[in-house]
Amino acid sequence: MTARVTVVGIGGDGWAGLDAARRSAVLGAEVVLGGDRHLAMLPAEVSAEQVPWTRPFREGVAEALARFAGQRIVALASGDPLVAGVGSTFVELLGAEAVKVLPAVSSVALARARMRWPAESVAVLRDHRTLSRELAPGRRLLVLSADRHTPSAVAAMLREAGFGGSALTVLADLGSRAESSERCVARDWAPGSAAPQLHVLAIECVADASARPLGLAPGLPDDAFENDGQLTRRDLRASALSRLAPSAGELLWDVGAGAGSVGIEWMRMHPACRAIAVEADPERAARIGRNAAALGVPSLEIVEGRAPGALEGLPRPDAVFIGGGGTAPGLLRECWDALAPGGRLVAHAVTLETERVMIDARAEFGGELTRFQVERSDQIGSFTGWAPARAVVQWAAVKPRGDAMEENW
């Protein structure tokens, strides 16, 4: 199949930096799509109709593809079009076979070269709001900034997290004649000061004495979450997540989410993990959003409503956690039926009524039941003793692959 669109990567050096293949693609196009900055780089000899991007971007691309169907289309993109670039949108809309990509050197590669950082030593953040999940002493990060004010926002986040001693380097206009580099310690960054529009932000993480790196292992401290007591506690949460077994790209339903702790930790395990938190209480739903933002997973989806009704129309999950509402009629069965083959379901019970429902579910679907009785040290006058928490029963099961119920989905 002949590609319907050729996506050409263009660097800060503009037309002069294009090799023969990329120049030939642009010169042979009937339509060239791109940002105003990229279109301005083209010389007069480019005869194609030049069409700037419109917003919202994805819808604008779809409209342009429909409008110019059958013509030779070239789309201009910064650097490597498949590194947080427009190339990904074309592939999603048209399929891989319909898109040809001719990349330039990416801004990420140029930033690593300027910093002399090996690729394996660096994490790349496409959204600075995910910063908190990556913070650790000695960590090297590259942030693809959204605008001129991203470094200021990042500096504030670092100071608040106890990483104010971290070094920030603003690498602006990479690959162009105007390329520049500015270095500053996060605690010294002037609030509100702006960086050049086009830049990559390099961060060398340095922990202050007040820093409290949370890491990525399941079972964050309970006080890492704002909560009103409706929280899956640390030890149980770690156990649940080990059985939910998050993998890159998978989707979790966190049903009766409370403070959102299980869904948030699921997403912290890998940048591609997705989660939907279902919570009936409006105040708790708002709290889940604050927790997700504070812990570096702002893309957590929140559905305000009571299960099982609130589950209608949600995308099929790879795993389901039921932290509350297990006695709701039909809830466990609906979650089980919704699971993809090989999917995992974990439910917790603190009441005899919910425990009875889970015992029946185990009899029908299999899995394991585990009873947790956690005790924590506490003061007894001038001495120390054990304070038992309420016992919790956990049901965990894996849906067989090739389950007949898959045909009914």
Side-chain angles (χ1 to χ4, degrees):
M1 176 180 179
T2 303
R4 290 178 54 190
V5 174
T6 299
V7 186
V8 171
I10 188 167
D13 49 1
W15 182 258
L18 297 188
D19 56 23
R22 286 179 285 157
R23 286 193 181 192
S24 176
V26 176
L27 291 170
E30 295 174 285
V31 178
V32 177
L33 309 175
D36 292 333
R37 180 175 64 89
H38 292 142
L39 294 175
M41 294 177 174
L42 300 180
E45 62 187 289
V46 176
S47 60
E49 181 178 353
Q50 298 180 24
V51 181
W53 301 125
T54 59
R55 295 183 180 277
F57 176 73
R58 186 183 179 89
E59 288 77 359
V61 169
E63 290 174 4
L65 290 173
R67 176 183 172 189
F68 300 110
Q71 299 188 56
R72 294 187 302 277
I73 302 174
V74 164
L76 300 179
S78 296
D80 184 343
L82 295 177
V83 176
V86 302
S88 303
T89 302
F90 282 99
V91 171
E92 290 170 6
L93 291 173
L94 297 175
E97 295 301 318
V99 181
K100 182 178 182 180
V101 179
L102 301 175
V105 178
S106 71
S107 59
V108 170
L110 289 171
R112 287 193 289 100
R114 302 301 185 263
M115 298 299 294
R116 282 77 169 177
W117 287 355
E120 61 273 15
S121 72
V122 183
V124 179
L125 280 63
R126 289 161 176 77
D127 183 345
H128 72 276
R129 297 174 301 166
T130 66
L131 178 68
S132 66
R133 73 176 295 276
E134 299 289 349
L135 291 179
R139 189 90 157 118
R140 290 172 169 175
L141 307 172
L142 288 177
V143 178
L144 303 182
S145 291
D147 55 35
R148 295 166 57 89
H149 301 288
T150 298
S152 184
V154 168
M157 294 171 70
L158 289 167
R159 291 193 296 268
E160 185 176 349
F163 281 79
S166 301
L168 305 180
T169 303
V170 177
L171 301 161
D173 299 306
L174 287 164
S176 75
R177 293 182 179 180
E179 181 175 317
S180 64
S181 174
E182 179 184 355
R183 187 178 175 88
C184 181
V185 174
R187 68 168 62 94
D188 296 334
W189 187 278
S193 60
Q197 181 66 32
L198 299 175
H199 71 273
V200 175
L201 180 63
I203 306 172
E204 299 167 82
C205 294
V206 177
D208 303 338
S210 62
R212 188 189 183 193
L214 294 175
L216 299 177
L220 295 182
D222 291 343
D223 62 6
F225 300 91
E226 180 188 345
N227 70 89
D228 62 357
Q230 291 297 311
L231 173 73
T232 301
R233 301 293 171 178
R234 182 178 196 172
D235 301 292
L236 291 169
R237 194 182 331 123
S239 172
L241 285 160
S242 72
R243 289 166 169 82
L244 290 167
S247 292
E250 290 191 327
L251 172 66
L252 170 77
W253 286 359
D254 184 0
V255 181
S261 61
V262 172
I264 288 169
E265 290 218 46
W266 168 279
M267 291 185 66
R268 283 175 59 87
M269 299 298 288
H270 192 278
C273 284
R274 299 168 295 135
I276 300 173
V278 180
E279 175 53 53
D281 185 274
E283 290 187 14
R284 289 175 182 160
R287 189 178 294 117
I288 291 170
R290 294 194 295 272
N291 281 331
L295 292 166
V297 289
S299 60
L300 172 72
E301 183 178 346
I302 302 168
V303 173
E304 187 178 317
R306 189 172 301 279
L311 305 178
E312 185 176 351
L314 298 185
R316 192 173 199 178
D318 301 286
V320 176
F321 176 71
I322 303 174
T327 55
L331 175 60
L332 263 66
R333 174 172 290 280
E334 183 157 339
C335 289
W336 181 263
D337 288 351
L339 270 179
R344 291 80 63 197
L345 191 152
V346 175
H348 285 174
V350 295
T351 67
L352 292 174
E353 290 77 9
T354 308
E355 188 174 329
R356 179 71 261 171
V357 172
M358 295 199 321
I359 291 172
D360 292 343
R362 177 181 177 273
E364 182 173 359
F365 303 120
E368 62 175 357
L369 286 171
T370 307
R371 189 168 188 265
F372 292 88
Q373 180 69 64
V374 178
E375 298 184 7
R376 296 181 176 86
S377 61
D378 197 8
Q379 290 300 117
I380 304 176
S382 60
F383 297 94
T384 304
W386 293 107
R390 192 183 298 273
V392 176
V393 173
Q394 180 186 84
W395 174 51
V398 178
K399 187 172 184 178
R401 297 188 181 276
D403 195 304
M405 285 184 287
E406 179 186 6
E407 299 174 3
N408 299 324
W409 179 257

